[in-house]
Amino acid sequence: MLKTGGWRRTILTILPGLVLSMTAGAGRVVGADAYSTGVQLLTARKFPQAAQYFSQAVKASPRQGMALYYLGLSKHYQGDRQGAMESYSRVLSEYPGTEACNLAVRGMSSIDPSILQQLGLAGGGQSSGRRQQRQGQEASGGGDDLSMPSECRVNFTKESNCMIVDGRVNGRSTRMLFDTGAENVVFGMNHIQEMGINLGKSEQSVNVTGSGSRGSQKSEVHLVELTLGNIVRKNFPILVMEHADNYPIIGQRFFNELKYTVDNNSNCITFQRRTGQVASNAPLTAYDVPFERDGKEIRVMTEIEGKKVPMWFDTGASWVVMSASQAQACGITVPDDARVVQTRGVNGLSRTRFVRVRSMRLGPVDKRDYEIGVADSLGSPYPLLGGDFLQNQQFTIDYDRGVIHFGRH
């Protein structure tokens, strides 16, 4: 069984912000629920209440520093600059090189611009972890190189509603999970050993978070030649954790520079080079679904029983899945006799309970009496729109226009 959660955000990118339309329920929650509730309160601009929940989350589950960063941000919005700087400073000292660190640097510099000079970041505004990554790439051959024809078709097979493709690492073949809900390309050291590859020693490590009960996992950063079909990327950074139970993950970092069409009827993905030009005179149609970028993630607005719910568009998730607090915010009640499935994500096992909703819609895709999962350990600020919802659909991810187009052009 493949994962039900596709959230594997890592430190290699910076979150631009959060947009949520759900309202938070009352009551004391801890850990992941406290974090999710805090995010909802923060985006609803209820800053004192958000700070209380993030304080709980920091104590129960630090979440790689993001809860601590959001605690600082909540104080920042309240005008408590000293409190904000204290939280931001803790992020820098306790979670160096993480995405939370990158964001904390931004927050600190908005309070005191001289902080960038003090941290040696005045030229680029990036954390030491990101700077080290760039230097590592330069030392290994000048950065990531992309080579491909104008169009490339890649076949896939389906397993548990997910797309499995054939890739190659340094010329060695491997099966990979094509995952629009992952920012990066992630392997387990067990995968690397099975391919008989010696990656050598890495001087850089990061934490990988995602679905499952184990929390974040330390991973090494290595530069490889990664191939998918006729697409070749040299000096490409992959993350290698100690062990991964499922397939290696090929995420947005590999293909977000490309336009691609997924055809679930012919089981193929067609990649094209992007033009970089936006057709301003091309109005949206009923088959176009606008999306926003959240780092490298794709966020879309769905409707569940008429209520708008933002979700990550996640082909690496088997089903539509959300956390208990997100379900509560949507007015969804999980019955005591709900069907239960043990699912496996990038960070271990999680219990998922399934409940039916009367309707769920994304643009032209309209489901009735549809089953969604409520996971105990999701770790995502948004629910995940998984592969089951996209069955039998053809859709094109057009980054230049910022839309997902369903159906043939």
Side-chain angles (χ1 to χ4, degrees):
M1 179 65 66
L2 297 180
K3 67 181 180 64
T4 59
W7 191 53
R8 285 152 306 281
R9 183 176 297 281
T10 67
I11 68 166
L12 300 183
T13 58
I14 296 178
L15 276 167
L18 291 170
V19 179
L20 280 174
S21 64
M22 296 181 289
T23 58
R28 179 178 176 82
V29 290
V30 297
D33 284 345
Y35 178 84
S36 298
T37 302
V39 169
Q40 296 168 29
L41 289 167
L42 178 62
T43 54
R45 306 189 67 81
K46 298 179 180 179
F47 305 125
Q49 299 94 321
Q52 294 177 4
Y53 279 99
F54 286 127
S55 294
Q56 294 178 34
V58 167
K59 294 177 182 178
S61 176
R63 300 182 57 81
Q64 197 181 320
M66 286 303 298
L68 185 56
Y69 162 72
Y70 283 135
L71 175 61
L73 188 62
S74 300
K75 294 178 179 179
H76 195 161
Y77 280 130
Q78 293 180 72
D80 181 5
R81 294 192 170 193
Q82 181 177 351
M85 288 292 278
E86 290 175 355
S87 295
Y88 291 154
S89 297
R90 278 187 59 191
V91 175
L92 265 65
S93 63
E94 297 177 20
Y95 304 95
T98 65
E99 62 175 325
C101 180
N102 296 334
L103 290 163
V105 168
R106 285 186 176 184
M108 295 174 76
S109 65
S110 69
I111 296 175
D112 180 6
S114 68
I115 200 70
L116 292 180
Q117 291 182 339
Q118 298 175 35
L119 296 173
L121 302 175
Q126 57 187 357
S127 73
S128 58
R130 294 186 60 155
R131 188 169 63 249
Q132 290 168 2
Q133 176 195 348
R134 184 181 62 187
Q135 291 170 346
Q137 290 176 339
E138 291 170 349
S140 300
D144 172 22
D145 299 320
L146 169 65
S147 173
M148 67 168 292
S150 59
E151 184 172 296
C152 172
R153 288 168 59 92
V154 174
N155 295 323
F156 62 83
T157 58
K158 278 291 188 74
E159 292 188 26
S160 299
N161 305 320
C162 296
M163 295 180 284
I164 310 301
V165 296
D166 291 316
R168 295 191 300 279
V169 179
N170 293 349
R172 303 295 180 89
S173 297
T174 183
R175 300 278 281 162
M176 304 186 73
L177 173 66
F178 183 81
D179 194 345
T180 61
E183 286 205 19
N184 294 286
V185 176
V186 184
F187 285 80
M189 184 54 70
N190 52 308
H191 299 136
I192 301 300
Q193 293 171 346
E194 288 169 3
M195 287 185 284
I197 297 175
N198 182 4
L199 293 177
K201 184 178 180 181
S202 172
E203 299 297 330
Q204 184 185 4
S205 63
V206 301
N207 289 327
V208 175
T209 60
S211 59
S213 58
R214 289 199 299 258
S216 63
Q217 293 193 63
K218 185 177 180 179
S219 303
E220 294 182 347
V221 180
H222 292 273
L223 299 180
V224 300
E225 179 180 288
L226 182 59
T227 303
L228 180 64
N230 292 326
I231 306 170
V232 181
R233 306 202 78 146
K234 298 182 179 181
N235 300 317
F236 186 83
I238 65 171
L239 308 184
V240 182
M241 62 177 60
E242 182 178 353
H243 183 86
D245 296 320
N246 289 326
Y247 290 101
I249 294 166
I250 185 165
Q252 290 279 350
R253 188 177 181 87
F254 184 88
F255 50 77
N256 76 328
E257 297 176 11
L258 308 173
K259 179 179 179 180
Y260 53 95
T261 297
V262 174
D263 190 335
N264 279 296
N265 293 316
S266 60
N267 283 10
C268 76
I269 310 169
T270 302
F271 295 91
Q272 296 174 308
R273 288 185 177 273
R274 290 166 58 186
T275 65
Q277 300 177 349
V278 180
S280 58
N281 60 344
L284 295 180
T285 71
Y287 300 96
D288 292 327
V289 175
F291 65 80
E292 295 181 347
R293 301 303 301 273
D294 192 351
K296 286 186 174 64
E297 310 281 4
I298 299 173
R299 187 174 62 241
V300 294
M301 188 64 71
T302 68
E303 289 186 13
I304 297 179
E305 296 185 349
K307 184 171 185 177
K308 293 187 180 299
V309 180
M311 291 188 174
W312 274 340
F313 191 85
D314 189 354
T315 61
S318 293
W319 306 283
V320 173
V321 64
M322 59 181 59
S323 68
S325 61
Q326 291 163 352
Q328 181 184 17
C330 293
I332 296 173
T333 301
V334 182
D336 294 336
D337 60 349
R339 181 170 69 92
V340 178
V341 175
Q342 284 290 113
T343 55
R344 189 179 300 276
V346 70
N347 283 325
L349 293 172
S350 175
R351 183 187 69 158
T352 299
R353 297 169 295 164
F354 284 87
V355 60
R356 289 194 174 276
V357 296
R358 291 189 299 273
S359 65
M360 180 172 173
R361 186 172 72 87
L362 175 69
V365 185
D366 194 351
K367 304 283 188 177
R368 301 288 169 166
D369 189 28
Y370 185 70
E371 192 174 51
I372 64 174
V374 179
D376 288 351
S377 300
L378 182 61
S380 166
Y382 300 95
L384 308 176
L385 186 74
D388 176 68
F389 188 86
L390 303 170
Q391 288 292 317
N392 303 319
Q393 298 294 326
Q394 183 190 58
F395 55 88
T396 299
I397 309 293
D398 189 336
Y399 292 103
D400 294 326
R401 294 184 62 210
V403 299
I404 303 172
H405 178 85
F406 284 88
R408 299 187 181 278
H409 288 284

